[in-house]
Amino acid sequence: MGSVGTSVASAEQDELSQRLSRLRDQI
Amino acid sequence: MALPPQLKAIQHYLRTAQEHEKRDPVVAYYCRLYAMQTGMKLDSKTPECRKFLVKLMDQLETMKKDLSDNESITQEVVGNAHLENYALKMFLYADNEDRAGQFHKNMVKSFYTSSLLLDVISVFGELSEENIQHRKYARWKATYIHNCLKNGETPQ
């Protein structure tokens, strides 16, 4: 995977982590 | 949606969630939350896993919205107690059957599900020593009795 592909993957991963912590925040 | 092989370890939690969808949505929610957290640790990089986890996250967000008036969802301490009570109830049912010498598939499943739910409780923090022991015992009993029933032997 090239550097563009890598950044897209990590951005998507970050988004998932953020959604998870938002979900956990309100618990 | 098919579960990618890399996420095979979360399949039992997702199945337990599905089985509790109507019976106890709080249990279903926390099983999925545990599966989500574990799945992200296992593999959130490959496209098939990401796609699966995004879908699971969508489902969790929808459930959370639908259950927004339920204190077991909005307050961690209440949710923890709910899950713990439920897991213990299931454990006690199986344990009573065991002590009464009533061995059947349903009690094996109850032992196994209680051990899965004790895993799920770890979303609230480290498990107590008592819960760790219950989990170990329930998993061992489920495997042992399952094997006995399969081989036509009487559990001791």
Side-chain angles (χ1 to χ4, degrees):
Chain A
M1 196 187 282
S3 63
V4 174
T6 311
S7 350
V8 170
S10 60
E12 282 174 347
Q13 219 180 315
D14 282 352
E15 197 205 319
L16 213 51
S17 303
Q18 278 168 18
R19 285 174 72 185
L20 180 63
S21 62
R22 272 200 299 271
L23 203 70
R24 295 299 320 265
D25 272 353
Q26 295 155 22
I27 288 180
Chain B
M1 197 177 170
L3 182 70
Q6 302 94 308
L7 302 179
K8 197 175 178 286
I10 63 172
Q11 72 174 342
H12 295 294
Y13 304 95
L14 293 174
R15 203 181 49 211
T16 305
Q18 216 165 9
E19 287 167 356
H20 285 81
E21 200 83 71
K22 296 248 153 59
R23 207 194 312 170
D24 194 325
V26 171
V27 169
Y29 176 81
Y30 284 111
C31 285
R32 288 199 176 108
L33 182 62
Y34 177 81
M36 182 75 212
Q37 289 189 173
T38 309
M40 280 180 71
K41 283 181 207 150
L42 290 171
D43 187 347
S44 60
K45 289 192 179 116
T46 55
E48 67 270 28
C49 289
R50 260 205 323 268
K51 206 171 156 191
F52 186 89
L53 291 171
V54 166
K55 203 101 187 145
L56 182 57
M57 181 62 84
D58 291 343
Q59 201 177 13
L60 272 165
E61 287 169 347
T62 306
M63 282 185 91
K64 181 147 193 178
K65 214 181 280 175
D66 292 345
L67 297 167
S68 58
D69 58 348
N70 191 320
E71 283 193 342
S72 292
I73 299 293
T74 55
Q75 291 183 44
E76 187 161 338
V77 69
V78 184
N80 192 350
H82 183 100
L83 264 278
E84 221 169 315
N85 282 340
Y86 193 93
L88 192 65
K89 215 159 65 179
M90 204 156 255
F91 178 92
L92 288 176
Y93 161 73
D95 195 44
N96 284 337
E97 292 291 279
D98 186 25
R99 286 171 203 277
Q102 304 288 328
F103 307 107
H104 46 89
K105 276 187 186 169
N106 204 25
M107 62 98 77
V108 172
K109 188 163 184 182
S110 294
F111 265 134
Y112 187 59
T113 305
S114 73
S115 78
L116 294 178
L117 294 177
L118 288 164
D119 284 332
V120 170
I121 287 171
S122 68
V123 300
F124 302 109
E126 222 172 285
L127 284 188
S128 66
E129 191 51 41
E130 196 189 359
N131 280 339
I132 292 172
Q133 291 308 320
H134 273 132
R135 180 177 62 180
K136 196 174 161 189
Y137 182 81
R139 202 157 287 171
W140 172 73
K141 272 285 179 185
T143 310
Y144 171 68
I145 299 170
H146 170 79
N147 288 334
C148 285
L149 292 177
K150 200 172 74 178
N151 301 325
E153 293 163 7
T154 308
Q156 298 300 309

